[in-house]
Amino acid sequence: MARSRGVRGSLMATLEVCTETNGRQYFELTADETVVGRDRFCDIMLPTHTVSRQHARFVRAPDGFYIEDLASLNGTYLNGRRIEGRTLIKDKDRIHIYEVVTVFHAGSPTVAMDESTRERPAALEAEPLPEEKAEPAPSASRMVLPAGSVLPDPADEGSQARFRAALKISLQLEGGLDVDVILPKIIDSLFEIFPQAARGYILLAEGADGHLVPRAIKHRKSETGHSMTFGPISRKTALHVMSTAEALLMDDGAVDTGEMNQSIFEFQSLSMICAPLMGPSRRPLGIVYLDTTDPQRRFGQVDLDVLVAVATIAGQEVEVASGRQTTWDVGTSQRAMGTAKQVQLQFLPQRRPQVAGYEFYDYYQPADEVGGDYFGYIPLNDGRLALAIGDVAGKGVSAALLMAHFCSEVRYCLTTSATPAEAVQQLNQDLSSELLNYHFVTFALCVLDPIKHRLTLVNAGHLPPLRRRGRTVEELGSIQSGLPLGCDLKRAYEQFEISLDPGDAIVLYTDGISEAMNAQGDVYGSKRIREVIARAPQGVEPVGQALLDDVRRFVRGRMQSDDICLVCIARES
């Protein structure tokens, strides 16, 4: 059964789930909210790689039950149609948690089991996915981090510079209206990011057949324009990128010689990178392509990752610009925010640390608009573990991309600084630079020494971390807290240490929790946070779950207005 998060009234319902591994299962929806996903802390766990960590949730309301997609990667479908936002469901509705088929029953598990025994629901037969998913639309995650890719090496200064340049592109293009203005700017910026690039093309799919048409062209020895001679790109390469939404990194040795007469690889040694332009609709709008003939500076995986980030920005702007030129509606805007969320989510931790004597818990739920919350676990060479949490000011793709850049910067600064305070100072200098002064970040850093059971903390304008010892909860470091990162280049930051006794718990959170509001406009507040943590059961998961459950009871179904991020650590008793 799904774990309870608090019962509201006597309204009852059951979810019937059918998987190849477990067959048919029934989960009674007795809680105000029931979260479904592959994470083991979800109320209904679906251990399938196509299901997101927190994929969807069922919400009990006075007028019935609702299904809500939680910015999942592959989507949630109600009776064959992808849902956007919270949607009312009724008895016998079929719900696809991507590939996992479920049926909603308005009643108890006994009734649902009896009915399904008499007549097996068609939804649970071996049926295809909804029509628009028969060939799944390429997902943003595959685009943002292609198969086999890794995050840039934090010690690679070149990769850091390229991510900063990609961020600069995003800031320059926000709100652009004309595709013919946007794309030449992007190709010019790519030649600045990649000085080895010999040729670059951006092609868009046009017409009913999706024929690729060059819309921006640049050669190293020429100016950007539309009338230049266009060296044809391998048709096989272009079709592969468009059909799979996967970016490619290739050298001349990997090229199909049967296509040589149609390829730009000609008779010289080339290295190329190519990425799809993905818009809010999550379908490729075209491709961006770069090649080089310099044998000493061939493209690598970091280059491909940066190009994919730029292609994300380009796809967003192209579809937004096209929408403004035709019909721009709320649904398109929501999909744009969804893509921006996915850029950020790829850089957040996918698993919790394993440290002897300690337990960890985390929860991240983006709001309808991207706010840029961040958390991370960074193992250090001496056996210590850094825990970080932050909140970027701003919204949209640029905020998500800045967070991706920030994730790498945190790792880099921690590995190159003598103390946590110096690491935060280095982060501040980066964010205070002329390039990134559009944003600031509230940030808290904790470095755990699991041998000495000591925690070193630095706070840059973030909400004070909380320590629970017994039934007492106290704020940590309010006096030592400094300004948010990016506000003052010369700002110095102060670190301090605390001890962790057996049973002690540390709670880090963002203002999506403290500033949560109910229907009457009341704010949840930090006082209530401390009260809930103080009376929560022992253990890191009970503390985290108690806080989240209480926030949900407080807002009582009101739509989430800001990202929620929670990170907890506890020393075992």
Side-chain angles (χ1 to χ4, degrees):
M1 295 295 178
R3 291 195 299 272
S4 175
R5 294 175 181 269
V7 177
R8 190 202 329 251
S10 58
L11 198 63
M12 297 183 64
T14 303
L15 187 68
E16 183 178 356
V17 180
C18 185
T19 62
E20 292 184 1
T21 303
N22 298 319
R24 188 186 300 184
Q25 295 177 292
Y26 298 88
F27 299 90
E28 188 175 0
L29 304 179
T30 60
D32 290 348
E33 294 186 2
T34 302
V35 177
V36 182
R38 75 169 188 269
D39 191 289
R40 65 189 180 92
F41 293 104
C42 289
D43 302 308
I44 299 177
M45 179 180 159
L46 302 176
T48 304
H49 74 281
T50 56
V51 174
S52 297
R53 289 182 63 184
Q54 288 96 30
H55 194 106
R57 66 180 160 204
F58 292 86
V59 180
R60 181 208 300 265
D63 59 339
F65 280 85
Y66 289 77
I67 180 69
E68 181 180 3
D69 185 77
L70 299 179
S72 67
L73 190 60
N74 293 317
T76 303
Y77 290 75
L78 175 62
N79 297 325
R81 298 188 62 181
R82 185 164 186 163
I83 63 172
E84 298 284 350
R86 188 171 293 185
T87 305
L88 184 66
I89 52 179
K90 61 184 185 300
D91 189 38
K92 302 300 190 299
D93 272 348
R94 294 175 299 158
I95 301 167
H96 283 77
I97 309 298
Y98 191 53
E99 295 176 332
V100 178
V101 185
T102 72
V103 176
F104 175 80
H105 297 280
S108 67
T110 303
V111 174
M113 292 173 69
D114 289 345
E115 289 181 349
S116 62
T117 300
R118 290 196 300 268
E119 181 179 357
R120 181 177 174 85
L124 295 182
E125 298 292 350
E127 63 168 21
L129 293 175
E131 183 176 352
E132 64 177 293
K133 293 181 64 187
E135 293 182 7
S139 64
S141 68
R142 294 177 67 191
M143 172 191 57
V144 174
L145 285 179
S149 67
V150 294
L151 290 176
D153 184 346
D156 182 353
E157 295 183 2
S159 70
Q160 299 302 314
R162 290 175 186 178
F163 269 104
R164 286 193 292 268
L167 172 61
K168 184 178 180 180
I169 293 175
S170 174
L171 297 172
Q172 289 174 339
L173 297 179
E174 279 188 338
L177 295 175
D178 189 344
V179 171
D180 289 329
V181 174
I182 292 172
L183 298 184
K185 283 185 178 180
I186 291 174
I187 206 74
D188 286 341
S189 297
L190 285 173
F191 270 60
E192 294 179 11
I193 296 174
F194 301 105
Q196 73 269 46
R199 289 174 289 194
Y201 308 116
I202 297 180
L203 290 77
L204 297 185
E206 297 185 1
D209 60 353
H211 181 67
L212 289 173
V213 177
R215 299 292 295 272
I217 304 171
K218 188 178 181 71
H219 294 178
R220 177 60 64 183
K221 297 181 180 180
S222 306
E223 296 297 326
T224 302
H226 296 266
S227 59
M228 296 171 49
T229 300
F230 174 60
I233 297 174
S234 163
R235 183 179 296 111
K236 182 177 291 186
T237 296
L239 290 177
H240 177 81
V241 173
M242 288 293 292
S243 63
T244 65
E246 292 180 339
L248 291 179
L249 165 65
M250 296 176 63
D251 281 327
D252 58 336
V255 178
D256 183 355
T257 56
E259 279 201 358
M260 193 64 72
N261 62 334
Q262 300 176 6
S263 172
I264 60 164
F265 285 88
E266 298 164 350
F267 301 103
Q268 50 188 323
S269 176
L270 261 80
S271 174
M272 60 77 73
I273 47 178
C274 185
L277 302 177
M278 299 289 287
S281 63
R282 298 188 180 182
R283 297 184 183 276
L285 306 174
I287 62 173
V288 55
Y289 168 95
L290 293 175
D291 68 45
T292 178
T293 58
D294 187 341
Q296 303 302 319
R297 294 191 294 179
R298 310 185 76 77
F299 291 121
Q301 185 62 54
V302 168
D303 301 316
L304 185 66
D305 291 339
V306 175
L307 184 69
V308 167
V310 173
T312 304
I313 301 164
Q316 287 286 321
E317 297 301 328
V318 166
E319 190 156 323
V320 168
S322 300
R324 285 172 177 162
Q325 292 167 1
T326 54
T327 303
W328 174 252
D329 58 25
V330 175
T332 303
S333 176
Q334 290 175 341
R335 288 191 294 272
M337 291 299 98
T339 302
K341 291 174 189 175
Q342 297 307 324
V343 175
Q344 179 186 354
L345 290 173
Q346 298 307 313
F347 291 87
L348 298 179
Q350 300 301 306
R351 60 183 62 87
R352 292 163 185 160
Q354 299 293 322
V355 178
Y358 286 86
E359 299 176 299
F360 299 86
Y361 176 84
D362 56 66
Y363 178 87
Y364 179 85
Q365 178 56 53
D368 289 339
E369 293 185 351
V370 175
D373 280 9
Y374 155 83
F375 74 98
Y377 304 115
I378 304 98
L380 304 179
N381 292 333
D382 58 3
R384 295 180 300 162
L385 175 72
L387 298 86
I389 191 169
D391 187 355
V392 171
K395 299 180 182 296
V397 179
S398 62
L401 185 57
L402 175 57
M403 189 51 71
H405 160 75
F406 187 71
C407 176
S408 297
E409 283 292 315
V410 171
R411 294 177 180 273
Y412 174 71
C413 292
L414 281 168
T415 57
T416 58
S417 301
T419 65
E422 290 182 14
V424 174
Q425 177 63 35
Q426 190 173 346
L427 279 169
N428 179 59
Q429 291 174 351
D430 176 64
L431 292 173
S432 300
S433 67
E434 182 179 355
L435 178 63
L436 300 179
N437 62 7
Y438 295 86
H439 296 272
F440 65 87
V441 180
T442 67
F443 179 70
L445 176 67
C446 303
V447 178
L448 170 68
D449 186 332
I451 304 300
K452 298 180 180 180
H453 305 296
R454 303 284 295 177
L455 198 68
T456 304
L457 299 94
V458 185
N459 194 338
H462 198 76
L463 295 164
L466 303 175
R467 176 173 62 182
R468 187 179 87 158
R469 175 167 287 174
R471 293 297 177 181
T472 301
V473 177
E474 61 176 324
E475 292 186 346
L476 301 174
S478 298
I479 297 176
Q480 294 90 345
S481 180
L483 290 175
L485 303 175
C487 292
D488 183 356
L489 176 66
K490 298 181 181 179
R491 182 73 180 185
Y493 290 90
E494 183 179 352
Q495 69 183 48
F496 63 98
E497 286 191 3
I498 63 169
S499 63
L500 292 176
D501 293 344
D504 280 0
I506 303 294
V507 178
L508 306 166
Y509 62 96
T510 60
D511 56 12
I513 294 178
S514 58
E515 297 180 5
M517 298 178 66
N518 60 20
Q520 291 72 43
D522 302 321
V523 177
Y524 189 76
S526 57
K527 179 181 178 181
R528 183 161 176 164
I529 293 175
R530 294 193 297 271
E531 291 174 349
V532 172
I533 293 174
R535 63 174 182 263
Q538 193 76 5
V540 66
E541 182 180 351
V543 168
Q545 286 288 348
L547 181 56
L548 294 173
D549 291 347
D550 192 65
V551 170
R552 291 172 181 132
R553 285 191 293 269
F554 176 80
V555 300
R556 291 189 179 276
R558 175 169 175 158
M559 294 297 290
Q560 182 180 333
S561 60
D562 198 2
D563 291 2
I564 291 178
C565 186
L566 175 67
V567 181
C568 307
I569 176 177
R571 183 179 174 187
E572 296 176 351
S573 300

